[in-house]
Amino acid sequence: MKDKILSRAKELFSHTVSLRRDFHKYPEIGFMEFRTVAQIIEYLRGLGVEVKYGEEVINTSEVLGMPDDQNIENARLRAIADGADESLVRSIANGGTAVVATIYGKAGKGNKTVAFRFDIDSNELVESESPDHLPCAQGFASVHNGSAHACAHDGHVAIGLTLAKILSENTDYFSGKIKLIFQPAEEGVRGADAMVAAGVVDDVDVFFSGHIGISAKNTGTLFASTDNFLCATKYDAEFFGACTHAGLKPEEGKNALLAAAQAALSLHAISRHSAGASRINVGVISGGSGRNVIPSYARIEFETRGINSKVNAYMKKRAEAIIASCAMMYDVEYSLNCVGNAESFEPDMAFGKEISEYARSTGIFSNIIDVGPMNASEDCTAYMNRVISRGGKATYMMFGADLASQHHTPEFDFDEKVLSDAVALLALLAIKYA
Amino acid sequence: MKDKILSRAKELFSHTVSLRRDFHKYPEIGFMEFRTVAQIIEYLRGLGVEVKYGEEVINTSEVLGMPDDQNIENARLRAIADGADESLVRSIANGGTAVVATIYGKAGKGNKTVAFRFDIDSNELVESESPDHLPCAQGFASVHNGSAHACAHDGHVAIGLTLAKILSENTDYFSGKIKLIFQPAEEGVRGADAMVAAGVVDDVDVFFSGHIGISAKNTGTLFASTDNFLCATKYDAEFFGACTHAGLKPEEGKNALLAAAQAALSLHAISRHSAGASRINVGVISGGSGRNVIPSYARIEFETRGINSKVNAYMKKRAEAIIASCAMMYDVEYSLNCVGNAESFEPDMAFGKEISEYARSTGIFSNIIDVGPMNASEDCTAYMNRVISRGGKATYMMFGADLASQHHTPEFDFDEKVLSDAVALLALLAIKYA
Amino acid sequence: MKDKILSRAKELFSHTVSLRRDFHKYPEIGFMEFRTVAQIIEYLRGLGVEVKYGEEVINTSEVLGMPDDQNIENARLRAIADGADESLVRSIANGGTAVVATIYGKAGKGNKTVAFRFDIDSNELVESESPDHLPCAQGFASVHNGSAHACAHDGHVAIGLTLAKILSENTDYFSGKIKLIFQPAEEGVRGADAMVAAGVVDDVDVFFSGHIGISAKNTGTLFASTDNFLCATKYDAEFFGACTHAGLKPEEGKNALLAAAQAALSLHAISRHSAGASRINVGVISGGSGRNVIPSYARIEFETRGINSKVNAYMKKRAEAIIASCAMMYDVEYSLNCVGNAESFEPDMAFGKEISEYARSTGIFSNIIDVGPMNASEDCTAYMNRVISRGGKATYMMFGADLASQHHTPEFDFDEKVLSDAVALLALLAIKYA
Amino acid sequence: MKDKILSRAKELFSHTVSLRRDFHKYPEIGFMEFRTVAQIIEYLRGLGVEVKYGEEVINTSEVLGMPDDQNIENARLRAIADGADESLVRSIANGGTAVVATIYGKAGKGNKTVAFRFDIDSNELVESESPDHLPCAQGFASVHNGSAHACAHDGHVAIGLTLAKILSENTDYFSGKIKLIFQPAEEGVRGADAMVAAGVVDDVDVFFSGHIGISAKNTGTLFASTDNFLCATKYDAEFFGACTHAGLKPEEGKNALLAAAQAALSLHAISRHSAGASRINVGVISGGSGRNVIPSYARIEFETRGINSKVNAYMKKRAEAIIASCAMMYDVEYSLNCVGNAESFEPDMAFGKEISEYARSTGIFSNIIDVGPMNASEDCTAYMNRVISRGGKATYMMFGADLASQHHTPEFDFDEKVLSDAVALLALLAIKYA
């Protein structure tokens, strides 16, 4: 069985690569993954597995940081123009770009449920146009200006679909139930809570997820489990002032732009915390209407992180005071909304050890580490904490890959060899635990 | 003659009002006034007067702060959708939204040239939607979201066209040549230099321009000339850093957003100047691509002003040092481009006195002041300084009007009675001097 | 009489110069002018004129910005070390460094009271040690490190004492009463209100004061009256946080230093006012106790100014909001105290004209201007507004002098010729009006 | 032997406490510890041990952050007034407040050298005056305003002297040489490099140092070795502008105060580093001369820290760019001087284990941990890295104590029981290794 799975994964390598490159070419940002979801659904249906999507698998009322209706509608139109099935796209509610496939084993009367989670959204950044950038050289660079797969989620989807293919071909080898969870909007850590709220992992005994790259920067490396998940909170702050002619009556203006600029600077100056890593980033700013008008409106999008919930709570408390004080400083009104949330996670060291030993026995990866650091945030922790709280087991792996550049940079790319390695290991784990 | 002109101006009042309201409804920002220009051209052609436009009257290579091609093309498409003649719109080059009409007197063999200048662009702001706002109540509020006539240029165009109509009907009363200059992009003080460079006032003996409202805030008030023009410079600053994952590798980012925010704050802290009024405004900021990405790009649009060229030079010098230092602070690259320029102007007190005495003799305005303050910037000074440097005379008037709110605010509106008063006075001045 | 006065002023020139240089050498800052006051009292007593000082002429409970007891005591000790009479110094209460001399005319039964006011305190700055600096070259530079007469108050005292000498020699020429007011703490505009509160000008019919230099920068120039007095308010802001070890527990600190630094920057960014000149200056900052301790205390000393009380009120309102918001931003407590106040002043143009005509008749000054600008603040306005409110007349003159450098700079020095010119004119005015 | 040492340490408890309280009452900051050093020398001489001090044991030309001559002289005068021997105080050069005692064993012909290092300086902060603060209640609170032992160095000196006493009584138990190093200016990490440069540990085989409290916050706890030493750099930045009258000529000023304030804020906004802990603190700011003078001078004292030299190098590089850019922003000159330096340190885990096992055998401490975290900086790392580089062994221990408040806070105090426990363990270690 093992050899069969390993050779099938290798055989499908070019198939997995072509899937990955297709998703790479048509990146879609969080909650607007209409083409991505339509492709996933059609692929899974083609395998004959059970497919649920939209409000069946995500509680759209719990979604954080939902884009506005106009942007969502534009995304639907673009997906259709990019070849997605129109009726399928139209059947997906706002915020409903989530899919869950279920594959039932036929080996016996098992009752274990094993879940795998794959995130599907792209980043908001402009991909490199350098001829040295492989996606350019090979013609699969993003055709959507301002969106790019710079975090390897394209690879995650390709792994997930190939995994579905292999498992659907090998149902004789397992007796339980396998769920493949395709989640929107991991960027901004916005999608997981709403899928958890829809109950998608309430029946799960063993949960696997993972990431290509991040701290495992060489092909052949595997982290069997991961720690140092940063707790994160995502905020939008808006400032509402009063505009006036900047030459005639500057004193009558209430300058929302300066309040936002001050907030950006002051947020970045929140003191370090002695309990461990913290992060702050104001990722987006915009404000003002015209050069000679005192700006009456401005907004920032920012995030806080902490190595644990205490550190993040400190960051949040300071951030909230800063936003309020900047509004006061410029005599403007403000609003502050939480639009994303990621929990921390304590890895189960015993289960990690078990996985690492099993992985070693498969010979797929040459350098296996029991536990490696995330040093970033992942809303995957929501599923894992849920599964563990109900008595299940969960681990988050890292599939090492040589990287062309850091995650979230225009030149990001990864060694595609990782794709078949990850597929092979996940397929064996599915069979082992289901 | 005088009574005939006065009664004709009154007779045309509702015509002038309907012109103004049409322009108000379809506001277009600088260098994108395609519908506005098409309407002006067709109206003037309907009067049978000589009309030149585009590169004949504006040196498009001298234009400051030209929008990008995509925005200009979108503006053309919108103008056509709003009913502008397509072939006319297509005949206007980028930056060429300028018109000059010439009307020749038949009273004899005069050789005087009298020019009037009207600015035609709108502001970039969102008009009030309050039912108390007259344009809403009367159904002529802006249908272009983000653009609004909040500085009375709609009134200026209406005055100019009605003036053309009356003068074209009364060519027997004057012997010289009358030029009506319709200028784009006064907001941002970007259009005048390029029209002056095209030579539109090189043959002008007497030059008139003016503004509804500003410092003359009551209907019935006239400033025969204006001082306290603020010298102004308009800049775009861009900052170019390096993006990175805000959680994984914050130290590798080069934060362009913080450089821009710091620049905004530091610019506003430039010290006052003892020689008189100065102004600084960062009117627009934008930066960053995603919440969890260290921002690699940001930009600000700002302006400096000074009561004279020395004070503005001081502001410019400090601003330039600040932009450079903010880039240095965050280890980012930057560019700083001048996109607008307005000179100062010393009014000709004798000519102002002459105009004020003549205006008194007409009885049109009840409260006539020899010279009033501008306290703002106007690129009209470029024409006036040019005319005076060649031996001509020039004045800038203010046509007082009750205002609903300050210029450049969403609720701005003016008492339309000023329209026929201004038309009447300008027509009489045209006949007197041409 | 006139010639006698003129020649006597000239004769006393070197005497006046030596007085000025003595005061220059021993500068004392506001409310600590113990040696200065002791010298003034002894000089006046030597002339046999009536002398009052301390709480008889200044309401010490109304004093703004009183130094602390320790500093005052140190100043007393230094004054005694510098040769001041110890019992006299000890007799002056805290805040009581004010003197009023009265000289009674014997020419008849006049009942006019004419007052002259001279400010006596020095600046807090380090005088130039350059050999090109005349006080250094001539050996009368400040011997008090950190204090210097860089605003010509040393000259004012010398003029006042010489004036007393001449008038006491010429009591036959006038019939009224002449009051010479020597005021502490004009720097910081702290002394005048308290002397006005003590009633020192409640009996005054005609009031004169003035300044060497400021806007009259050439010897021979006289401004007969002055406008453009900036309204000013002086504040001390203190921030109270919590200290902690900067390495061990940075998150537990409440950083008062950063609150003060932010306040300094934000205060300087208060928007300009369209109604005219405004000023802001944070002149002093201090905070923190050690490099590796999060600072728990910091303070700033600042001032706002406006061309009139409305503009200054705007500055004050904005400043107060900024201080509060900076405290909020860093979660620290604060206090904000007003420690100085200067009113605006509208000159009496008719009286100014009268003075300028009289001054012309004396031939003392070669270039006499009716009214010149102050462009700065002076608490002398408190006396003048008081005198005028009770029906008297008042003017503030400028005695032009060639200046080595701007006021309040280390190299400040003035052409001493102005001293005898000012003495002569003031003596003649005293005789004319008393 | 062990029991004898243990009981002697207990016997001397009240002696050690009285030493500690005496040093507590007369705190002296770095390089000004004249009374402290005089007391140490006299005490050691009283024991009959070899004593070296001043330039024999510290290379004063290598001293970082030396106070100015005037402050040092004032400190000498105060020490004499506080009872220190005048000729001894006068014999200590500037920067020479360091002492090394050597005690020779008589048990045989050993050639091992064992060193102990004690830091002796106080903090710059104002001690609590609360009656709940034990030093107040017991009458040994600081009598030097602005200085306080808030980091337990008073306890370290008391331990060191008692250790000398016990070892000098027990030279029969060891055969090697014991050096007791009393170091100035650990606050600011300024003294160690200069003592290392003088060669004081070049003959050392085994080196011990340690700290009361820090991360070991309960009496009875011992860390046998310590990691997480933060690499630190201490800087002074000065800004040199140009002063001018803040009302008359604000535009002519070059504002050093704002440059310093901006630097303070921008330094605190240096981005976190993903490789681990970093710290930044601007601990002191001062600037400006008078409220109405544009400030021409300002300074800040700050420090950077990093979990390793790479992180600290990042902090330093960013800090240097920020200081330069702030000077550029305000058109002022600047200087930036390094005044302190602390290296990182990798503990020798095997030696730590050896010490912890031995400590357990003594029964002195109830809770012994092999290695605990420092999370702060210590220039002791300079000795340790030197000793290890020459083949020796070194460890840094923490002597746990119940603390009244965090280190470097006004209310800091520790449970004095730790004193005799530390003395006992160190004496046994000296005998064991020498």
Side-chain angles (χ1 to χ4, degrees), chain C residues 123-126 151 186-188 190 214-215 217 230 233-236 243-252 255 257-262 264-265 268 279-295 298 300-303 305 330 339 374-377 406-410, chain D residues 123-126 151 186-188 190 214-215 217 230 233-236 243-252 255 257-262 264-265 268 279-295 298 300-303 305 330 339 374-377 406-410:
Chain C
N123 299 93
E124 287 178 86
L125 55 80
V126 179
C151 197
E186 189 282 325
E187 301 295 342
R190 296 171 292 153
I214 307 274
S215 307
K217 299 193 174 175
L230 296 179
T233 305
K234 314 284 174 163
Y235 286 107
D236 285 351
C243 65
T244 181
H245 190 293
L248 281 178
K249 289 283 172 192
E251 73 276 12
E252 291 183 2
N255 200 317
L257 186 154
L258 294 184
Q262 182 65 63
L265 294 170
H268 278 261
R279 295 283 184 275
I280 179 77
N281 190 49
V282 177
V284 179
I285 193 169
S286 64
S289 58
R291 192 187 312 273
N292 59 357
V293 181
I294 302 290
I300 56 173
E301 302 177 16
F302 70 97
E303 58 176 21
R305 306 195 200 215
Y330 290 96
V339 295
M374 183 71 186
N375 293 339
S377 308
Q406 186 62 41
H407 290 259
H408 293 199
T409 61
Chain D
N123 298 94
E124 289 178 83
L125 54 79
V126 179
C151 199
E186 189 282 327
E187 301 293 342
R190 296 172 291 153
I214 306 278
S215 308
K217 298 192 175 174
L230 297 178
T233 305
K234 314 284 174 164
Y235 285 108
D236 284 350
C243 65
T244 179
H245 190 294
L248 281 177
K249 290 283 173 194
E251 72 277 11
E252 292 182 3
N255 199 318
L257 186 154
L258 293 185
Q262 183 66 61
L265 294 169
H268 279 261
R279 294 284 184 275
I280 179 77
N281 190 49
V282 178
V284 179
I285 193 169
S286 64
S289 59
R291 193 189 311 274
N292 58 358
V293 181
I294 302 289
I300 55 174
E301 301 176 17
F302 70 98
E303 58 176 19
R305 307 194 199 214
Y330 289 97
V339 296
M374 183 72 186
N375 293 339
S377 309
Q406 186 60 43
H407 290 258
H408 293 200
T409 60

Side-chain angles (χ1 to χ4, degrees), chain B residues 263-281:
Chain B
L265 294 169
S266 296
L267 286 167
H268 278 262
I270 296 175
S271 181
R272 274 83 172 158
H273 197 293
S274 64
S278 58
R279 295 282 184 277
I280 179 77
N281 191 48

